[in-house]
C-alpha cells in the first residue's frame, strides 16, 4: 500500500509524467510485490524559482531532478528497499529517459495501524 509523491520542475509533457507513474508502479510491483492496481501517486510541478537542488554527496544533478517520497508499511527489509531504489533508477532511465543522477528517493516506513484507505477504517490494524 505505498503512497508516492513526486516533485519536479514544471514544463514536461503529459506523456513524460505518465511514464514516470508507469515506471514507479512497475518498480513497486517488481521489488515489493504490491497488489495489482495499487497506484496511489501524485506529481507536483514547481516553477524554477520554487525548486532548488545542489550537488551534495558528489551527485551532479540537473533540472530534470525528481524528488520521490514513498511511504510504505514498515515491513520491508533493507534488501527490498535497496532493490527498489535500483529498479526505480533503472526504469526511469528507460522511460521517460531520466538520468540516475536525477532520481532522489526517500522512503518512509509507517506502521500498518497508521493507514486508513477509505471509509474511516483502520483496515490493516
Amino acid at each position: 500500500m505505498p503512497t508516492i509523491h513526486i516533485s519536479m520542475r514544471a514544463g514536461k509533457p503529459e506523456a513524460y509524467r505518465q511514464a514516470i507513474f508507469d515506471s514507479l508502479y512497475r518498480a513497486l510491483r517488481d521489488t515489493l510485490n504490491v497488489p495489482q492496481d495499487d497506484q496511489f501517486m501524485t506529481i507536483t510541478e514547481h516553477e524554477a524559482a520554487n525548486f532548488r537542488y545542489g550537488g551534495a554527496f558528489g551527485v551532479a544533478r540537473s533540472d530534470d531532478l525528481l524528488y520521490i517520497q514513498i511511504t510504505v508499511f514498515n515491513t520491508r527489509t533493507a534488501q527490498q528497499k535497496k532493490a527498489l531504489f535500483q529498479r526505480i533508477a533503472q526504469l526511469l532511465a528507460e522511460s521517460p529517459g531520466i538520468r540516475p543522477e536525477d532520481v532522489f528517493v526517500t522512503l518512509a516506513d509507517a506502521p500498518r495501524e497508521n493507514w486508513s484507505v477509505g471509509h474511516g477504517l483502520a483496515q490493516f490494524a
Side-chain angles (χ1 to χ4, degrees):
M1 174 55 62
T3 59
I4 302 177
H5 302 285
I6 304 139
S7 295
M8 61 186 285
R9 289 271 302 264
K12 297 293 187 187
E14 180 181 347
Y16 184 93
R17 296 188 311 272
Q18 292 303 312
I20 292 169
F21 283 144
D22 293 344
S23 291
L24 290 172
Y25 175 61
R26 184 171 165 201
L28 290 169
R29 297 269 297 150
D30 290 352
T31 61
L32 301 185
N33 296 318
V34 301
Q36 186 166 346
D37 205 32
D38 190 343
Q39 300 187 56
F40 300 95
M41 300 180 254
T42 60
I43 290 179
T44 305
E45 296 182 89
H46 304 272
E47 296 301 322
N50 298 322
F51 192 84
R52 185 182 256 188
Y53 58 88
F57 308 105
V59 180
R61 298 173 183 89
S62 77
D63 288 346
D64 289 335
L65 175 65
L66 299 179
Y67 291 119
I68 302 167
Q69 295 178 300
I70 304 172
T71 305
V72 295
F73 290 151
N74 64 349
T75 57
R76 311 300 187 191
T77 67
Q79 289 194 297
Q80 285 178 305
K81 294 172 188 179
K82 289 177 185 180
L84 175 64
F85 298 149
Q86 290 175 345
R87 190 69 173 139
I88 287 172
Q90 176 188 27
L91 291 172
L92 288 172
E94 292 174 13
S95 178
I98 298 169
R99 300 174 327 126
E101 295 89 344
D102 289 325
V103 178
F104 189 115
V105 183
T106 57
L107 192 103
D109 293 321
R112 295 171 62 93
E113 66 268 14
N114 288 5
W115 295 74
S116 174
V117 297
H119 302 289
L121 303 174
Q123 288 90 345
F124 308 104

